[in-house]
Amino acid sequence: MSSITQTPNISIPSDLLPEDGRFGSGPSRVRPQAATALAEVATSFLGTSHRKATVKDVVHRLRVGVADLLCIPEDYEVVLGNGGSTGFWDAAIFNLIQTRSQHLSFGAFSAKFAKGVAGAPHLADPVILTSEPGTHPQPVADPSVDAYAFTHNETSTGVAMDLRRPSSDGLVLVDATSGAGGLMFEPKETDVYYFAPQKCLAADGGLWLACCSPAAIERIERIGASDRWIPPFLDLSIALASSRKDETYNTPALATIFLATHQVEWINNNGGLQWAAARCSESAEIIYEWAESRTFTTPFVADTSIRSHVVATIDLHDVSADEIAQVLRANNIVDVESYRALGRNQLRVALFPAIPPSDIAALCACIDHVVEHL
């Protein structure tokens, strides 16, 4: 990718600009209404004890709201803790993999989890199935495996996958960090559907939530009661017990909890996951049709059946993505750069529920304007 030393002086007309210029894939756009609501509780919620009703009531609303949003079965439980999805990977290494796991590795984040498991001295070497960026491998039923690790939406590449159990045996662990709340799925095909709230849930990071099946809860409790050493911060049996009391093991970021709750309830009040997924799909249709109709753009993911409806990756030809991103940033349209490690001449655009499709259309018009004037 080219290196730009000076941003071209291109002014985008105000009538082309989106209502809000934030299109980052994480941290994502926080709706101004949520930020206003947070400010209104600055003296009654922020800075208060997370062991008392003021905060516990909001945690309860978040857990109930997530269960409603994702339509999880009644015997599943919503567990939460601090550390984000990266922290949950470490917790899964201790609490959810009994002996050996299988990983689908098709981007930066799915690869990180697989690498962490491979370094765990108490586990057998994982089975890691890989594919080129822009695609995803298929799981394979394996009797030596007791946990299957999938990624609902690979944030780094813009690839989404259908979630299906490869076998009746083994837990299905799904990293849903950029998919939860924006993509449809069948909860019964998963045992642990976990995510952080800084994407579709339009909050800050540092928190993880996990929808756990009875089989996952049984394993958490059984391993927690065994002689396996688990750091308390990563002990999911402690997180489970705390969540049942609408608490976290240690002090959480109260603003994150509040913003996530506000977003979940906003989605649920508008029609739930079906409404949010349809809104994301409308945005996806806009940007992919735009990219296919221009001579200088191509959707990175060639297979339309696995193109993400929450994170779009668009390759550019004969123009510099870095240059376009810098001009957009100078016009207060931010965070459309490609994932740093992918190294492509590419733009990456979040299509999360907080972003109205009209703003995606406006972004496309702004890119057209910039390219025309470069």
Short mmCIF file of all heavy atoms in Angstrom, two decimals, residues 141-179:
data_model
loop_
_atom_site.label_atom_id
_atom_site.label_comp_id
_atom_site.label_asym_id
_atom_site.label_seq_id
_atom_site.Cartn_x
_atom_site.Cartn_y
_atom_site.Cartn_z
N ALA A 141 -16.02 -33.02 11.36
CA ALA A 141 -16.28 -33.79 12.57
C ALA A 141 -15.04 -34.62 12.92
O ALA A 141 -14.47 -35.28 12.06
CB ALA A 141 -17.49 -34.70 12.37
N ASP A 142 -14.64 -34.56 14.18
CA ASP A 142 -13.40 -35.21 14.62
C ASP A 142 -13.63 -35.77 16.02
O ASP A 142 -13.84 -35.01 16.97
CB ASP A 142 -12.27 -34.19 14.62
CG ASP A 142 -10.91 -34.80 14.92
OD1 ASP A 142 -10.86 -35.86 15.56
OD2 ASP A 142 -9.89 -34.20 14.53
N PRO A 143 -13.61 -37.09 16.18
CA PRO A 143 -13.87 -37.68 17.50
C PRO A 143 -12.81 -37.36 18.54
O PRO A 143 -13.07 -37.53 19.74
CB PRO A 143 -13.93 -39.18 17.21
CG PRO A 143 -13.18 -39.36 15.93
CD PRO A 143 -13.41 -38.12 15.14
N SER A 144 -11.64 -36.86 18.12
CA SER A 144 -10.60 -36.50 19.08
C SER A 144 -10.78 -35.10 19.64
O SER A 144 -10.04 -34.68 20.54
CB SER A 144 -9.21 -36.61 18.43
OG SER A 144 -8.99 -35.55 17.51
N VAL A 145 -11.77 -34.38 19.13
CA VAL A 145 -11.98 -32.98 19.47
C VAL A 145 -13.16 -32.86 20.43
O VAL A 145 -14.20 -33.49 20.24
CB VAL A 145 -12.23 -32.16 18.18
CG1 VAL A 145 -12.86 -30.82 18.50
CG2 VAL A 145 -10.93 -31.99 17.41
N ASP A 146 -13.01 -32.03 21.47
CA ASP A 146 -14.13 -31.79 22.39
C ASP A 146 -14.64 -30.35 22.34
O ASP A 146 -15.55 -29.98 23.07
CB ASP A 146 -13.75 -32.17 23.82
CG ASP A 146 -12.54 -31.41 24.33
OD1 ASP A 146 -12.67 -30.19 24.58
OD2 ASP A 146 -11.47 -32.02 24.49
N ALA A 147 -14.04 -29.52 21.46
CA ALA A 147 -14.51 -28.15 21.28
C ALA A 147 -14.17 -27.69 19.87
O ALA A 147 -13.05 -27.91 19.39
CB ALA A 147 -13.88 -27.20 22.30
N TYR A 148 -15.15 -27.07 19.22
CA TYR A 148 -14.97 -26.53 17.88
C TYR A 148 -15.05 -25.01 17.97
O TYR A 148 -16.02 -24.47 18.51
CB TYR A 148 -16.06 -27.03 16.93
CG TYR A 148 -16.02 -28.53 16.69
CD1 TYR A 148 -16.69 -29.41 17.53
CD2 TYR A 148 -15.31 -29.05 15.60
CE1 TYR A 148 -16.66 -30.78 17.30
CE2 TYR A 148 -15.28 -30.42 15.36
CZ TYR A 148 -15.95 -31.28 16.22
OH TYR A 148 -15.91 -32.63 16.00
N ALA A 149 -14.05 -24.31 17.45
CA ALA A 149 -13.97 -22.86 17.55
C ALA A 149 -14.24 -22.22 16.18
O ALA A 149 -13.45 -22.38 15.24
CB ALA A 149 -12.60 -22.43 18.07
N PHE A 150 -15.37 -21.53 16.09
CA PHE A 150 -15.77 -20.85 14.87
C PHE A 150 -15.73 -19.34 15.08
O PHE A 150 -15.65 -18.84 16.22
CB PHE A 150 -17.19 -21.23 14.45
CG PHE A 150 -17.42 -22.70 14.22
CD1 PHE A 150 -18.71 -23.21 14.24
CD2 PHE A 150 -16.37 -23.56 13.98
CE1 PHE A 150 -18.94 -24.56 14.01
CE2 PHE A 150 -16.58 -24.92 13.75
CZ PHE A 150 -17.87 -25.42 13.78
N THR A 151 -15.81 -18.61 13.99
CA THR A 151 -15.94 -17.15 14.02
C THR A 151 -17.14 -16.77 13.16
O THR A 151 -17.15 -17.08 11.97
CB THR A 151 -14.66 -16.46 13.50
OG1 THR A 151 -13.55 -16.87 14.29
CG2 THR A 151 -14.81 -14.94 13.57
N HIS A 152 -18.14 -16.16 13.78
CA HIS A 152 -19.34 -15.82 13.02
C HIS A 152 -19.03 -14.81 11.93
O HIS A 152 -19.49 -14.94 10.79
CB HIS A 152 -20.41 -15.27 13.96
CG HIS A 152 -21.79 -15.30 13.37
ND1 HIS A 152 -22.90 -14.81 14.04
CD2 HIS A 152 -22.25 -15.77 12.18
CE1 HIS A 152 -23.98 -14.98 13.29
NE2 HIS A 152 -23.62 -15.55 12.16
N ASN A 153 -18.23 -13.81 12.27
CA ASN A 153 -17.87 -12.78 11.31
C ASN A 153 -16.41 -12.41 11.55
O ASN A 153 -16.07 -11.93 12.62
CB ASN A 153 -18.76 -11.55 11.46
CG ASN A 153 -18.56 -10.55 10.34
OD1 ASN A 153 -19.16 -10.69 9.28
ND2 ASN A 153 -17.74 -9.53 10.55
N GLU A 154 -15.56 -12.64 10.56
CA GLU A 154 -14.14 -12.30 10.70
C GLU A 154 -13.98 -10.82 10.39
O GLU A 154 -14.05 -10.39 9.24
CB GLU A 154 -13.30 -13.17 9.76
CG GLU A 154 -11.81 -12.86 9.76
CD GLU A 154 -11.17 -12.83 11.14
OE1 GLU A 154 -11.02 -13.89 11.76
OE2 GLU A 154 -10.81 -11.70 11.58
N THR A 155 -13.77 -10.05 11.45
CA THR A 155 -13.76 -8.59 11.33
C THR A 155 -12.64 -8.09 10.43
O THR A 155 -12.77 -7.04 9.80
CB THR A 155 -13.61 -7.95 12.73
OG1 THR A 155 -14.46 -8.63 13.65
CG2 THR A 155 -13.97 -6.48 12.70
N SER A 156 -11.54 -8.80 10.38
CA SER A 156 -10.39 -8.32 9.62
C SER A 156 -10.59 -8.43 8.12
O SER A 156 -10.00 -7.66 7.35
CB SER A 156 -9.13 -9.08 10.03
OG SER A 156 -9.22 -10.45 9.66
N THR A 157 -11.42 -9.38 7.66
CA THR A 157 -11.54 -9.64 6.22
C THR A 157 -12.93 -9.43 5.66
O THR A 157 -13.11 -9.39 4.45
CB THR A 157 -11.11 -11.08 5.90
OG1 THR A 157 -11.99 -11.99 6.58
CG2 THR A 157 -9.67 -11.34 6.35
N GLY A 158 -13.96 -9.35 6.52
CA GLY A 158 -15.31 -9.20 6.01
C GLY A 158 -15.90 -10.49 5.49
O GLY A 158 -16.66 -10.48 4.50
N VAL A 159 -15.58 -11.61 6.15
CA VAL A 159 -16.15 -12.91 5.81
C VAL A 159 -17.07 -13.36 6.93
O VAL A 159 -16.68 -13.34 8.11
CB VAL A 159 -15.05 -13.97 5.59
CG1 VAL A 159 -15.65 -15.36 5.45
CG2 VAL A 159 -14.22 -13.63 4.37
N ALA A 160 -18.28 -13.78 6.59
CA ALA A 160 -19.23 -14.32 7.56
C ALA A 160 -19.49 -15.78 7.22
O ALA A 160 -19.45 -16.17 6.05
CB ALA A 160 -20.53 -13.53 7.54
N MET A 161 -19.76 -16.59 8.24
CA MET A 161 -20.03 -18.00 8.01
C MET A 161 -21.32 -18.43 8.70
O MET A 161 -21.69 -17.89 9.74
CB MET A 161 -18.86 -18.87 8.50
CG MET A 161 -18.62 -18.86 9.99
SD MET A 161 -17.36 -20.08 10.52
CE MET A 161 -18.29 -21.63 10.31
N ASP A 162 -22.00 -19.39 8.07
CA ASP A 162 -23.16 -20.00 8.71
C ASP A 162 -22.68 -20.87 9.87
O ASP A 162 -21.61 -21.48 9.81
CB ASP A 162 -23.94 -20.87 7.72
CG ASP A 162 -24.70 -20.04 6.70
OD1 ASP A 162 -25.06 -18.88 7.03
OD2 ASP A 162 -24.91 -20.53 5.58
N LEU A 163 -23.47 -20.93 10.92
CA LEU A 163 -23.09 -21.69 12.11
C LEU A 163 -23.88 -22.99 12.15
O LEU A 163 -25.11 -22.97 12.30
CB LEU A 163 -23.35 -20.86 13.36
CG LEU A 163 -22.66 -19.49 13.41
CD1 LEU A 163 -23.06 -18.73 14.66
CD2 LEU A 163 -21.14 -19.66 13.34
N ARG A 164 -23.17 -24.11 12.00
CA ARG A 164 -23.78 -25.43 12.04
C ARG A 164 -22.88 -26.37 12.81
O ARG A 164 -21.66 -26.36 12.63
CB ARG A 164 -23.98 -25.98 10.62
CG ARG A 164 -24.96 -25.19 9.77
CD ARG A 164 -26.39 -25.39 10.25
NE ARG A 164 -27.35 -24.67 9.41
CZ ARG A 164 -27.78 -23.46 9.63
NH1 ARG A 164 -27.33 -22.78 10.69
NH2 ARG A 164 -28.66 -22.89 8.84
N ARG A 165 -23.47 -27.18 13.67
CA ARG A 165 -22.69 -28.17 14.42
C ARG A 165 -22.09 -29.20 13.47
O ARG A 165 -22.82 -29.81 12.67
CB ARG A 165 -23.57 -28.88 15.44
CG ARG A 165 -24.04 -28.01 16.58
CD ARG A 165 -24.83 -28.83 17.60
NE ARG A 165 -25.34 -27.97 18.66
CZ ARG A 165 -24.63 -27.63 19.74
NH1 ARG A 165 -23.40 -28.10 19.88
NH2 ARG A 165 -25.16 -26.84 20.66
N PRO A 166 -20.78 -29.45 13.56
CA PRO A 166 -20.19 -30.49 12.72
C PRO A 166 -20.42 -31.88 13.27
O PRO A 166 -20.25 -32.87 12.57
CB PRO A 166 -18.70 -30.14 12.73
CG PRO A 166 -18.49 -29.45 14.04
CD PRO A 166 -19.77 -28.71 14.32
N SER A 167 -20.81 -31.95 14.55
CA SER A 167 -20.96 -33.23 15.22
C SER A 167 -21.88 -33.06 16.41
O SER A 167 -22.06 -31.96 16.93
CB SER A 167 -19.58 -33.74 15.69
OG SER A 167 -19.70 -34.83 16.58
N SER A 168 -22.47 -34.18 16.84
CA SER A 168 -23.30 -34.12 18.05
C SER A 168 -22.46 -34.08 19.31
O SER A 168 -22.96 -33.79 20.40
CB SER A 168 -24.23 -35.34 18.10
OG SER A 168 -23.47 -36.54 18.09
N ASP A 169 -21.17 -34.36 19.17
CA ASP A 169 -20.24 -34.32 20.30
C ASP A 169 -19.36 -33.08 20.19
O ASP A 169 -19.03 -32.63 19.10
CB ASP A 169 -19.36 -35.57 20.32
CG ASP A 169 -20.17 -36.85 20.50
OD1 ASP A 169 -21.12 -36.81 21.31
OD2 ASP A 169 -19.87 -37.84 19.82
N GLY A 170 -18.95 -32.55 21.33
CA GLY A 170 -18.06 -31.39 21.34
C GLY A 170 -18.82 -30.09 21.40
O GLY A 170 -19.85 -29.91 20.75
N LEU A 171 -18.32 -29.17 22.22
CA LEU A 171 -18.93 -27.85 22.31
C LEU A 171 -18.61 -27.02 21.08
O LEU A 171 -17.51 -27.12 20.52
CB LEU A 171 -18.40 -27.11 23.55
CG LEU A 171 -18.67 -27.73 24.92
CD1 LEU A 171 -18.10 -26.84 26.02
CD2 LEU A 171 -20.17 -27.97 25.15
N VAL A 172 -19.55 -26.19 20.67
CA VAL A 172 -19.33 -25.25 19.57
C VAL A 172 -19.15 -23.86 20.18
O VAL A 172 -20.09 -23.31 20.76
CB VAL A 172 -20.49 -25.27 18.57
CG1 VAL A 172 -20.30 -24.18 17.52
CG2 VAL A 172 -20.59 -26.64 17.90
N LEU A 173 -17.95 -23.32 20.06
CA LEU A 173 -17.60 -22.02 20.63
C LEU A 173 -17.51 -21.02 19.48
O LEU A 173 -16.70 -21.19 18.56
CB LEU A 173 -16.25 -22.08 21.36
CG LEU A 173 -16.00 -23.31 22.25
CD1 LEU A 173 -14.59 -23.25 22.84
CD2 LEU A 173 -17.05 -23.40 23.34
N VAL A 174 -18.31 -19.98 19.54
CA VAL A 174 -18.39 -19.04 18.42
C VAL A 174 -17.98 -17.64 18.86
O VAL A 174 -18.61 -17.04 19.73
CB VAL A 174 -19.81 -18.99 17.83
CG1 VAL A 174 -19.87 -17.99 16.67
CG2 VAL A 174 -20.24 -20.37 17.36
N ASP A 175 -16.91 -17.13 18.24
CA ASP A 175 -16.53 -15.73 18.42
C ASP A 175 -17.47 -14.90 17.55
O ASP A 175 -17.40 -14.93 16.33
CB ASP A 175 -15.07 -15.52 18.00
CG ASP A 175 -14.62 -14.08 18.13
OD1 ASP A 175 -15.46 -13.21 18.45
OD2 ASP A 175 -13.43 -13.81 17.89
N ALA A 176 -18.37 -14.17 18.21
CA ALA A 176 -19.38 -13.39 17.50
C ALA A 176 -19.19 -11.90 17.70
O ALA A 176 -20.15 -11.12 17.61
CB ALA A 176 -20.77 -13.81 17.96
N THR A 177 -17.95 -11.48 17.95
CA THR A 177 -17.71 -10.10 18.38
C THR A 177 -18.26 -9.07 17.40
O THR A 177 -18.87 -8.09 17.81
CB THR A 177 -16.21 -9.88 18.62
OG1 THR A 177 -15.82 -10.63 19.77
CG2 THR A 177 -15.90 -8.42 18.86
N SER A 178 -18.08 -9.27 16.10
CA SER A 178 -18.62 -8.28 15.15
C SER A 178 -19.92 -8.73 14.52
O SER A 178 -20.49 -8.01 13.71
CB SER A 178 -17.59 -7.96 14.06
OG SER A 178 -17.19 -9.13 13.36
N GLY A 179 -20.41 -9.92 14.89
CA GLY A 179 -21.65 -10.41 14.30
C GLY A 179 -22.85 -10.33 15.22
O GLY A 179 -23.99 -10.19 14.75
#
